[in-house]
Amino acid sequence: QKNKKILSTMRVQMAAPLWGVAYSSLWRPAGAQMVTPPESRHLTIEELNAILQTDATKEFDWSEENAIKAGLLWDGAVQFEWNKAADAELNGQRFPYILCHIGEGLSGYKRKLALAEALNLTENDTDIYYLRTLYNADDYLCVYGQLFASVAAGVTGEEFIVQPLVQTLKFLNNFVDNANQEVGKSNANEQEIYVPTLDVILCPNVAIEENVTADDLAFEVIDSLVQKTIASKLAAAISDTYYLTSEAYGNSTDGSEPSERAQLWNTLLNDYQKAGVCDEAYEMTTWTLTRAADLETGLTSVQIEFNNTGNTEQDQACMLTLALAAASYPDVCSVEMREPVGTSNHYATWLTQSELTNERPFFDVGLNGEGQTVTISDTGIDQNNCYFLDNENPASATYNTNSRKIAQ
């Protein structure tokens, strides 16, 4: 019964809204039918390389020498995602898109209003808050959010770009390369072991139902990935939802050798999607659910820590396979690998004081900041924030020289 309840709100692979959010009717016209070919163009792979920091150009082997072939494969991937978006709409599911307004002479705000108008939204519609800015420059504004395919396909005009969020766009630049590095390495201070963590970030206006826990999410995603149960076997295989591992990609290569990334993902899914192979790695993961306090300004996310991951190839492969499974959900807009964090004060001191290696003239004459108070005026500061909380010397209306955090 528990599994049945989870599956009713969280169906993997283009089924009903898996996170249980109630979508606004403004985003889907009454009686919407199967999507027709879009009237606006999509981003070229050259534009992707210029304005978005994702792994897409590596996924499609883009280079100036290989631009034509990579562009054709990219076009095929975009059409593949449009088909997935159309299937999703038939099941009442929206799909993530990038929308861009191009041309000169408009501010970012006016470009966003133009995009909203193209979607039949007004400035006062709350749904406009769910178009989050992704890129803003003099001649480009790109936002992202979820739409029904029929709505996205109806955006017309030479000034608009409508780009379905191809699965690989959910991975930031160098995602795969970073994941393939030694995942058991120490952090920058070499004081603790780095625990590989995946940040799975949901799309704007997507919420997880209150009765669904992080453990429920872990069960559903992993169970569907390794296909242990009848319920998960009903879901489409991950390889069928990712272009580089799909039959459509195979047909587009005309018998030539698949790209390096296509070979990588095929190997991972063939070898590590089998039941039992990654059980130990997945059983030791810790899943944390962070709900957005306000969907108009925040995003809900899921953090997956691989607590037992070491330096083995199998550990890395299991993590990458799970990342690909998470990215296959249409309610997921980004999958990132958290990199180890460490301070670099040893370098920052001489860089800021002299720009000469290990020369610190301020320190040499005794100027090291001791006894100094940095004044920052901010009436909206959160005194309970971990960076400002000082239980021994709490902030007050009286100036307190003993406070290490907020003096007054």
Side-chain angles (χ1 to χ4, degrees):
Q1 286 297 107
K2 177 183 178 183
N3 296 349
K4 183 177 180 181
K5 181 179 71 172
I6 297 171
L7 288 168
S8 68
T9 58
M10 297 166 42
R11 288 290 306 282
V12 70
Q13 310 304 340
M14 310 307 160
L18 62 115
W19 308 111
V21 68
Y23 299 132
S24 168
S25 61
L26 287 172
W27 293 77
R28 188 186 195 191
Q33 301 297 319
M34 191 73 170
V35 64
T36 56
E39 298 189 33
S40 296
R41 71 175 182 88
H42 59 264
L43 288 167
T44 67
I45 198 164
E46 288 83 5
E47 287 174 320
L48 279 175
N49 188 49
I51 68 176
L52 297 178
Q53 300 299 311
T54 74
D55 241 14
T57 52
K58 292 185 178 180
E59 292 278 295
F60 294 93
D61 286 340
W62 182 88
S63 65
E64 292 185 1
E65 296 77 15
N66 193 42
I68 295 177
K69 181 179 178 181
L72 291 173
L73 290 176
W74 170 249
D75 292 343
V78 172
Q79 183 57 54
F80 184 79
E81 297 299 324
W82 272 109
N83 293 339
K84 286 166 56 178
D87 289 341
E89 178 164 355
L90 294 177
N91 289 298
Q93 171 72 54
R94 294 192 302 181
F95 203 79
Y97 285 89
I98 296 173
L99 305 173
C100 299
H101 185 285
I102 60 176
E104 300 179 354
L106 287 178
S107 66
Y109 176 71
K110 289 185 177 180
R111 292 183 192 278
K112 192 170 185 178
L113 290 182
L115 284 168
E117 184 178 356
L119 295 169
N120 295 320
L121 295 176
T122 68
E123 186 174 359
N124 295 323
D125 283 328
T126 56
D127 280 336
I128 196 173
Y129 294 110
Y130 306 125
L131 295 176
R132 301 293 171 81
T133 299
L134 185 64
Y135 179 83
N136 190 9
D138 291 340
D139 54 351
Y140 267 88
L141 171 74
C142 294
V143 300
Y144 73 101
Q146 282 190 314
L147 302 168
F148 284 105
S150 60
V151 175
V155 175
T156 61
E158 294 182 355
E159 69 272 30
F160 298 118
I161 296 174
V162 181
Q163 172 68 57
L165 196 58
V166 175
Q167 201 163 321
T168 187
L169 289 178
K170 299 180 182 182
F171 297 136
L172 294 185
N173 193 30
N174 296 321
F175 173 86
V176 173
D177 293 340
N178 290 339
N180 276 326
Q181 293 176 359
E182 292 187 3
V183 292
K185 63 185 177 182
S186 300
N187 68 6
N189 290 327
E190 298 185 353
Q191 295 176 343
E192 60 183 71
I193 295 298
Y194 163 56
V195 179
T197 301
L198 291 177
D199 288 313
V200 181
I201 303 172
L202 305 191
C203 299
N205 197 26
V206 175
I208 296 178
E209 289 186 344
E210 291 297 326
N211 63 329
V212 176
T213 67
D215 289 339
D216 293 334
L217 294 174
F219 171 85
E220 175 63 19
V221 175
I222 294 174
D223 184 68
S224 296
L225 173 63
V226 299
Q227 302 183 2
K228 291 181 179 179
T229 68
I230 294 176
S232 62
K233 288 179 181 178
L234 294 176
I238 301 295
S239 59
D240 293 334
T241 68
Y242 189 53
Y243 179 68
L244 290 183
T245 58
S246 69
E247 183 178 350
Y249 172 75
N251 294 336
S252 68
T253 58
D254 296 326
S256 60
E257 184 177 359
S259 69
E260 182 178 336
R261 282 292 175 84
Q263 295 181 55
L264 169 66
W265 291 120
N266 271 302
T267 299
L268 290 174
L269 294 179
N270 288 333
D271 295 346
Y272 297 95
Q273 196 179 358
K274 300 173 183 176
V277 175
C278 291
D279 281 2
E280 182 180 353
Y282 293 158
E283 286 172 2
M284 292 297 290
T285 55
T286 299
W287 293 55
T288 304
L289 170 59
T290 304
R291 288 183 169 88
D294 183 357
L295 287 176
E296 290 188 2
T297 58
L299 296 170
T300 294
S301 63
V302 180
Q303 292 75 43
I304 309 172
E305 291 186 356
F306 285 74
N307 302 306
N308 71 324
T309 302
N311 295 332
T312 70
E313 180 180 337
Q314 178 164 322
D315 290 332
Q316 298 166 0
C318 291
M319 181 170 64
L320 277 172
T321 306
L322 184 58
L324 187 64
S328 70
Y329 284 83
D331 283 336
V332 170
C333 272
S334 176
V335 179
E336 307 172 10
M337 193 182 79
R338 192 176 301 177
E339 298 187 26
V341 177
T343 59
S344 299
N345 287 347
H346 176 74
Y347 303 100
T349 51
W350 61 259
L351 280 171
T352 56
Q353 292 182 36
S354 70
E355 296 187 4
L356 300 175
T357 303
N358 294 329
E359 293 193 16
R360 302 173 178 85
F362 293 177
F363 287 0
D364 292 343
V365 296
L367 296 175
N368 57 15
E370 184 178 356
Q372 304 297 310
T373 299
V374 176
T375 301
I376 301 176
S377 179
D378 189 342
T379 58
I381 196 169
D382 181 2
Q383 299 179 24
N384 293 320
N385 184 284
C386 62
Y387 297 106
F388 301 113
L389 183 64
D390 186 352
N391 290 324
E392 295 183 2
N393 295 285
S396 67
T398 304
Y399 180 69
N400 182 1
T401 57
N402 294 321
S403 176
R404 294 181 58 251
K405 302 294 183 176
I406 304 176
Q408 184 176 12

